[in-house]
Amino acid sequence: MAQDDSVVSAQWLHEHLGQPDVKVLDASWYMPVEKRDPWQEYQVAHIPGALFFDIDGIVDLTTDLPHMLPSQEAFAAAVSALDIKNHDKVIVYDGKGFFSAPRVWWMFRVYGHNKIWVLDGGLPQWRTSGFVLESSTPGDAVQKTKAANSVVERIYNGQLASDVTFQTEFQPHIFWTLEKVKHNMDAQSHQVVDARSKGRFDGVAPEPREGVRSGHIPGTKCVPFPEMFDDAPMLLPADEIRKKFEQAGISLDRPIVVTCGSGVTACILALGLYRIGKQDIPVYDGSWTEWEALPDHDYPKVTSNVQ
């Protein structure tokens, strides 16, 4: 385990599983079109001792945008309900290997917890390594997940949370809002990099969400998120990650902000950039789903006419 890397190996986790200061989270999440239920899949098979972190439950409940970052108070209360302390090392994984786990890695870092790593290769790599999976879910594990979700709802309903033991410290420099992206169109302080597929980026393949056009924010470059890992899937070595960005015309000497469809896969680019020493990469939380819905004259888009 290295503080200056963003992932840990399945072997490392296997050797340290069960230590009191090592907490494991299953943060699996799938696109609606995939028709997969991550909570059900967690209950069928998960890494022993892992708790389920619900990306669609621990969210900002004041917006219709999907799975936006919850308030500092809501995040602290939810993480406390999951029995995670500030001194804990948190290892997060998902069912695909690299999909939704980096989002939770970023969420913890936005709120000041840097002792967090993504399991390299996720559940597929754990299985490939031949390590055991737990197929029964203890009642307290179910209860903690439900408690984390319900305390978020209570806070957004104006109630106070009790037993908040996890302390947060907001890191605004790695959290970008619509206003920051809009300002950057003129200021050009950051290169904007989109993690979606080239087809969606170019406006020739449909978006997975109904009513959302495909296309991109003007001036954005495209590095599809699967470019960050190999077929295993394992995160690429640093020199290969560097090449992927350079080949897309991105200068690694200048600041970068990452975006995607709804703030999930952009975090995979941030994970890769962390490995090459870019540890303060901001994510545009609302991403294309937010930008696309706003008036074109104020929030211009590059789209294909073949829609």
Side-chain angles (χ1 to χ4, degrees), residues 122-140:
L123 200 58
Q125 191 57 38
W126 184 265
R127 289 181 190 272
T128 300
S129 302
F131 298 139
V132 69
L133 288 167
E134 198 167 51
S135 56
S136 62
T137 307
D140 70 319

Side-chain angles (χ1 to χ4, degrees), residues 123-228:
L123 200 58
Q125 191 57 38
W126 184 265
R127 289 181 190 272
T128 300
S129 302
F131 298 139
V132 69
L133 288 167
E134 198 167 51
S135 56
S136 62
T137 307
D140 70 319
V142 174
Q143 187 54 40
K144 283 173 183 174
T145 291
K146 290 185 173 174
N149 284 7
S150 65
V151 76
V152 171
E153 290 180 21
R154 288 205 305 277
I155 283 170
Y156 279 100
N157 285 329
Q159 299 170 38
L160 288 174
S162 57
D163 303 327
V164 176
T165 53
F166 186 83
Q167 303 302 310
T168 54
E169 192 176 334
F170 183 46
Q171 307 294 312
H173 61 289
I174 59 171
F175 169 76
W176 268 36
T177 58
L178 174 73
E179 292 72 25
K180 286 184 178 176
V181 178
K182 173 91 164 119
H183 175 73
N184 187 66
M185 290 196 73
D186 296 324
Q188 298 282 305
S189 63
H190 286 62
Q191 302 164 96
V192 185
V193 185
D194 195 317
R196 290 173 302 149
S197 69
K198 197 77 169 63
R200 289 168 62 188
F201 179 85
D202 288 337
V204 295
E207 286 293 307
R209 289 179 179 81
E210 199 174 328
V212 180
R213 295 167 292 174
S214 55
H216 61 267
I217 300 165
T220 306
K221 300 278 176 58
C222 179
V223 177
F225 72 86
E227 304 265 296
M228 295 296 100

Side-chain angles (χ1 to χ4, degrees), residues 12-13 16-18 21-27 42 46-53 82 84 89-93 119 126:
W12 185 94
L13 181 56
H16 294 82
L17 205 59
D21 66 340
V22 173
K23 302 290 174 66
V24 184
L25 295 176
D26 181 328
Y42 161 80
H46 54 265
I47 292 174
L51 294 178
F52 185 75
F53 185 105
L82 292 168
I84 293 170
K89 302 178 186 77
V90 182
I91 315 299
V92 60
Y93 72 90
L119 177 62
W126 184 265

Side-chain angles (χ1 to χ4, degrees), residues 57 67 81 94 137 157 210 228 253 267 284:
H67 39 251
D94 64 53
T137 307
N157 285 329
E210 199 174 328
M228 295 296 100
D253 297 327
C267 300
Y284 169 28

Side-chain angles (χ1 to χ4, degrees), residues 24-31 34 36-43 45-47 50-53 55 91-102 104 118-128 133 225 229 231-233 264 268:
V24 184
L25 295 176
D26 181 328
S28 299
W29 175 86
Y30 304 102
M31 296 296 292
E34 294 180 84
R36 290 178 67 174
D37 183 340
W39 170 238
Q40 187 178 25
E41 290 184 22
Y42 161 80
Q43 292 176 86
H46 54 265
I47 292 174
L51 294 178
F52 185 75
F53 185 105
I55 279 182
I91 315 299
V92 60
Y93 72 90
D94 64 53
K96 285 190 169 183
F98 290 104
F99 192 59
S100 50
V104 176
V118 170
L119 177 62
D120 200 0
L123 200 58
Q125 191 57 38
W126 184 265
R127 289 181 190 272
T128 300
L133 288 167
F225 72 86
F229 46 86
D231 292 340
V264 174
I268 302 171

